[in-house]
Amino acid sequence: MGAKQYDAVVIGAGFSGLYMLNKLRERGLSVRVIEAADGVGGVWYWSRYPGAKCDSDSIFYNFTFSEELYKKWRWKDRYASQPEILEYLNFVADELELRSDIQFKTRVTEASFQEEDKTWKVTTDTNETFEAKYLISGMGCLSTTNIPPFEGVSIFQGEQYHTGRWPHDKVDFTGKRVVVIGNGSSGVQAMPEIAKEAKELTLLMRTPHYVGEARNHPLGKEQQDAAIANYKEIRDAFFTTPGGIRMFTTGKSAIEFSVEQQKETLDYVWKTGALALGSAFPDVGVSKETNDIVAQYVRDKIDEIVEQPETAEQLHPDYFITTKRLIIGTNFYEMFNEDHVHVVSLKDNPIERVVENGVKLHNETIECDVIVYATGYEAMTGSLLKINLQGRNGQTIQEKWEEGRNVSTYLGLTMENFPNFFMITGPQSPSVLTNMPSAIEQHVDWIDQCIGYVESNGLQTIEAQKDAELSWGKQCDDLANSTLFPQTNSWYTGANIDGTQRGFVIYVGGLDSYRKICDQVAERQYEGFTFE
Ligand code: N01
C-alpha cells in the first residue's frame, strides 16, 4: 500500500492534538491525527485510577480559544475528575466534529525526514505509512508510564496495575491486601479511595512528599454561572500570568511578613486549597528562607493530623517544597490514622524484588493480593524518545539528545536538523509548570501561525538554527539554576528513574514571559530559524 498523503500529521488526540487539528483544518490543511487509544483524551483516557482528578481549578482546565465552546460547558466540581475531563474532551471532539480526521488504535513507531521531497514519512504499528509536510507531536509530557524494572513482576500471583494504564472496568479492592508503590499525585489520589475498600493498604514510600489540602467541592449553579460570565477574565489569565491560571498570592516574600502573618496566610491557603502553597509567597521556589517557612508549615500540619508520632515523622518531607510537583489530596494524611493503612519507608529497606505472594523488601516481605504501581512517568522526553524519530541525515532524536536528558531545542518547540517538526509543550517550554491547557493553546497558536508563514511565503521548510538552540538551552539552564528546582531529585530532572541522565528541561520563566519571547521571534520574521 502506498503512503497516505497529508499536509500535516499530528501524534496524539489529547488536548494538544485536538486543538492542533482544529487550527490546521481552519487553515485549510489536510490533517491526520494518529492516536494509540480507541478514543480521544490522551492522558485522561488512560489514567482511570480511583480518585483521579486534575489539580488545576476546573474552570481554567479547558479551552478558551472559542467563547462559544467555553460557554457551552459547565464543570461539576472545583477539581474535575478524570471521567468528567474525558467527557469534556469528547464533547470538544463532537462539537468541532474532529473525529473524522483522527485515526484511533494506531501507534506511530517511526518518523523520518525525507530529504528528497522535504516531507516526513510516518510509520505506524498498523503497518501504514503517511507522508506529510509537517509533523507535530501532541504526545504530552506525562504519557509514557514508568514501571521500575523490579525483578519477579511476572511471577506475582495477584493483580497488578499501573495508575497511568488503569483498566476500564472498576477494580474491586474489597477484602484485599493492597500494596501501593509511589506517593506522587496519582498515589496520593488513589490511596484514600482504595483504603475505603481494602482489608490492608500498605504504601511503600521512597520519598515523603508535601501534600496540601485540596478542598475540592461541587460547583453550585452560581459558581458555574460566574465562570461563564467571567470568560474574558479566565482567558486573560491564560495570557498574563506565569502559570496561565489565576492563583492566590500575597505578591511578597514570606520574610516581609511577621511570623503571625505568615501563619495566617498559610492557614488561609490550607483552608481554601493548598495548591496555593506554591504561589502565596512567589519566591518560594527561589528563596531558601521562604521555602523553609512553607515547608515547615506542612510538616507541622502532618504532626497535627497524623496521630502516631512515629508515622508522622516518617511522612515528613525534607526537600525544598515545590521543587517536586506540589501535591494536593483529600484525606491523605488522615488515612494513616486508620488501623488497616500502613506506610513503610524504603529508605533503609528498599524493594529487592516482587515475589509470588507480595513484595520482598530488604528486611521483610509485604504479602498482598494487589500491587498498584503509582510510579509515574518517563516525563518530558519519554514519549519522544520512544519513537524512532529521525531528522536530516538520519540523525535520531536519541543521538541528538545523547540518549536522554541532554535536551536541545529552540523554544521547546522545534529542533535543528528536524525541519517542519514541532513539539506541543515540548521539553524546554513552560509546560508542566503551568496549567496545561494554557500552555497548549499558546503552543498550538504559535505553531499554526508559523505554518501560516511558511505556507504564505511559498516555503518548503522551517528549521531551528544551531546557535538559536544553544542560546535557548543556556537561557533555560541559567533560569533554572537561579531557582531551587535543580537541587531536588524529581521527574522534572529525570531523576525519578534509575540510570537516567539528569537534566532540568523546563523553562521556569513563566508562560507570560515565554509567550512574549515566542511572539517576538515570530514578529522578527522567525528569528533563529532558517528556511528553504
Ligand atoms: O508520578 P510521580 P505520579 N521504587 O513521578 C515513586 C501529574 N498528575 O503519576 O519520589 C520506589 O509524581 C516515586 O518516588 P520518588 C502531575 O504533574 C497530576 O504520581 O521518586 N518508588 C514517587 O513517589 C504529577 O506530578 C494529577 O522517590 C518509586 C512515585 O513513585 C505527575 O502527573 C494527578 C520508584 C511517582 O510519583 C506524575 O504523578 C496525577 C521505585 N523504583 C498525575 N520509582 C493531578 O492533576 C518511582 N517511585 C492531581
Side-chain angles (χ1 to χ4, degrees):
M1 232 187 343
K4 295 174 185 150
Q5 309 289 327
Y6 292 93
D7 293 320
V9 162
V10 177
I11 313 173
F15 269 97
S16 298
L18 294 180
Y19 184 36
M20 192 78 249
L21 167 59
N22 191 55
K23 267 282 175 200
L24 294 182
R25 238 169 41 171
E26 282 178 351
R27 189 168 280 290
L29 267 55
S30 62
V31 188
R32 197 68 178 157
V33 177
I34 301 179
E35 166 58 57
D38 66 4
V40 301
V43 72
W44 296 109
Y45 173 93
W46 298 105
S47 297
R48 295 163 188 257
Y49 61 85
K53 280 188 186 58
C54 176
D55 58 11
S56 280
D57 272 88
S58 57
I59 56 171
F60 290 93
Y61 202 73
N62 38 222
F63 292 120
T64 63
F65 65 86
S66 157
E67 184 166 357
E68 192 193 342
L69 186 73
Y70 178 86
K71 291 190 167 175
K72 276 189 182 171
W73 182 261
R74 282 167 184 257
W75 292 106
K76 294 190 193 85
D77 291 327
R78 175 181 181 185
Y79 295 115
S81 66
Q82 174 272 332
E84 199 183 2
I85 300 170
L86 191 58
E87 198 183 324
Y88 170 73
L89 289 169
N90 275 287
F91 153 82
V92 170
D94 291 337
E95 284 290 316
L96 303 177
E97 297 177 11
L98 298 176
R99 287 177 209 279
S100 56
D101 288 326
I102 306 173
Q103 177 159 333
F104 294 104
K105 294 201 232 172
T106 308
R107 187 178 284 281
V108 171
T109 50
E110 202 171 313
S112 54
F113 183 71
Q114 315 291 300
E115 201 63 66
E116 319 79 73
D117 54 3
K118 316 280 181 221
T119 57
W120 281 92
K121 185 174 161 195
V122 178
T123 316
T124 65
D125 64 354
T126 49
N127 290 323
E128 288 165 280
T129 309
F130 299 81
E131 275 176 1
K133 180 169 177 179
Y134 303 102
L135 176 65
I136 301 154
S137 163
M139 288 188 288
C141 307
L142 295 156
S143 42
T144 297
T145 50
N146 164 43
I147 304 184
F150 299 125
E151 265 182 60
V153 165
S154 61
I155 64 163
F156 179 64
Q157 297 295 299
E159 303 158 58
Q160 309 187 67
Y161 306 100
H162 190 286
T163 44
R165 285 291 177 278
W166 203 262
H168 285 211
D169 295 331
K170 178 181 158 40
V171 176
D172 186 5
F173 294 100
T174 311
K176 294 181 183 158
R177 299 160 305 164
V178 183
V179 157
V180 176
I181 306 175
N183 50 307
S185 299
S186 305
V188 163
Q189 289 182 337
M191 278 183 274
E193 295 303 312
I194 297 173
K196 287 179 189 164
E197 292 179 358
K199 184 168 149 205
E200 296 288 334
L201 172 63
T202 306
L203 163 63
L204 302 185
M205 180 182 69
R206 189 163 72 176
T207 313
H209 295 149
Y210 298 93
V211 181
E213 266 299 323
R215 305 286 177 208
N216 192 24
H217 56 78
L219 292 180
K221 181 163 181 321
E222 225 172 88
Q223 286 164 309
Q224 289 177 337
D225 289 347
I228 303 282
N230 290 340
Y231 165 74
K232 287 204 163 49
E233 207 179 291
I234 283 170
R235 181 152 173 80
D236 182 61
F238 274 41
F239 285 77
T240 56
T241 61
I245 187 167
R246 204 72 60 207
M247 297 284 297
F248 167 76
T249 182
T250 62
K252 292 183 189 167
S253 170
I255 58 174
E256 293 182 49
F257 295 97
S258 68
V259 172
E260 292 73 27
Q261 287 169 326
Q262 289 163 358
K263 183 164 179 328
E264 235 170 71
T265 302
L266 293 170
D267 279 346
Y268 171 78
V269 165
W270 196 265
K271 277 196 195 111
T272 52
L275 201 63
L277 289 169
S279 59
F281 305 119
D283 63 345
V284 69
V286 291
S287 152
K288 286 186 182 170
E289 288 99 321
T290 293
N291 199 285
D292 195 42
I293 290 161
V294 180
Q296 190 53 46
Y297 179 86
V298 180
R299 285 189 287 265
D300 292 347
K301 278 285 167 200
I302 297 171
D303 291 345
E304 243 176 77
I305 299 168
V306 179
E307 286 159 11
Q308 291 285 338
E310 313 80 62
T311 308
E313 184 63 31
Q314 255 186 317
L315 291 167
H316 273 190
D318 65 359
Y319 56 89
F320 292 120
I321 189 168
T322 72
T323 57
K324 275 175 179 259
R325 169 71 178 228
L326 193 58
I327 301 170
I328 54 172
T330 303
N331 284 331
F332 176 70
Y333 292 122
E334 289 80 351
M335 170 186 82
F336 293 99
N337 294 331
E338 296 183 40
D339 290 342
H340 71 302
V341 180
H342 322 281
V343 53
V344 175
S345 169
L346 299 174
K347 199 167 162 219
D348 304 312
N349 190 18
I351 296 173
E352 286 191 345
R353 53 180 291 131
V354 176
V355 289
E356 284 188 2
N357 61 344
V359 183
K360 161 101 182 65
L361 309 181
H362 187 65
N363 296 335
E364 63 191 308
T365 296
I366 313 285
E367 292 189 6
C368 62
D369 308 300
V370 188
I371 302 175
V372 173
Y373 299 91
T375 44
Y377 297 88
E378 292 177 30
M380 312 306 300
T381 54
S383 301
L384 288 160
L385 288 166
K386 264 220 158 134
I387 291 179
N388 185 9
L389 189 65
Q390 296 182 19
R392 279 195 203 279
N393 308 317
Q395 187 190 39
T396 64
I397 192 165
Q398 288 81 1
E399 285 162 356
K400 184 170 175 74
W401 290 352
E402 297 169 12
E403 297 303 326
R405 309 284 289 192
N406 202 358
V407 163
S408 188
T409 75
Y410 182 34
L411 304 172
L413 275 159
T414 62
M415 291 185 289
E416 183 233 9
N417 265 351
F418 291 74
N420 292 357
F421 171 66
F422 299 93
M423 296 168 286
I424 304 172
T425 66
Q428 295 186 331
S429 76
S431 67
V432 292
L433 295 181
T434 71
N435 175 48
M436 287 307 282
S438 315
I440 288 166
E441 281 201 359
Q442 185 266 334
H443 261 193
V444 170
D445 289 345
W446 192 93
I447 293 167
D448 170 60
Q449 289 294 319
C450 176
I451 288 177
Y453 181 88
V454 173
E455 292 297 302
S456 60
N457 286 284
L459 301 164
Q460 276 189 301
T461 61
I462 178 165
E463 180 182 350
Q465 292 169 3
K466 185 75 197 160
D467 285 354
E469 208 171 273
L470 290 173
S471 131
W472 181 248
K474 183 168 177 338
Q475 198 172 331
C476 287
D477 288 347
D478 289 350
L479 273 170
N481 290 332
S482 70
T483 72
L484 301 169
F485 279 107
Q487 300 190 33
T488 300
N489 284 336
S490 66
W491 62 255
Y492 292 154
T493 62
N496 59 322
I497 296 173
D498 292 340
T500 300
Q501 193 188 1
R502 218 164 174 280
F504 190 84
V505 294
I506 309 165
Y507 174 84
V508 298
L511 184 60
D512 46 353
S513 311
Y514 174 79
R515 181 188 290 275
K516 284 186 194 138
I517 296 170
C518 293
D519 288 350
Q520 202 172 61
V521 166
E523 276 155 25
R524 293 180 181 165
Q525 314 292 308
Y526 294 90
E527 188 177 42
F529 287 95
T530 50
F531 298 92
E532 284 177 323

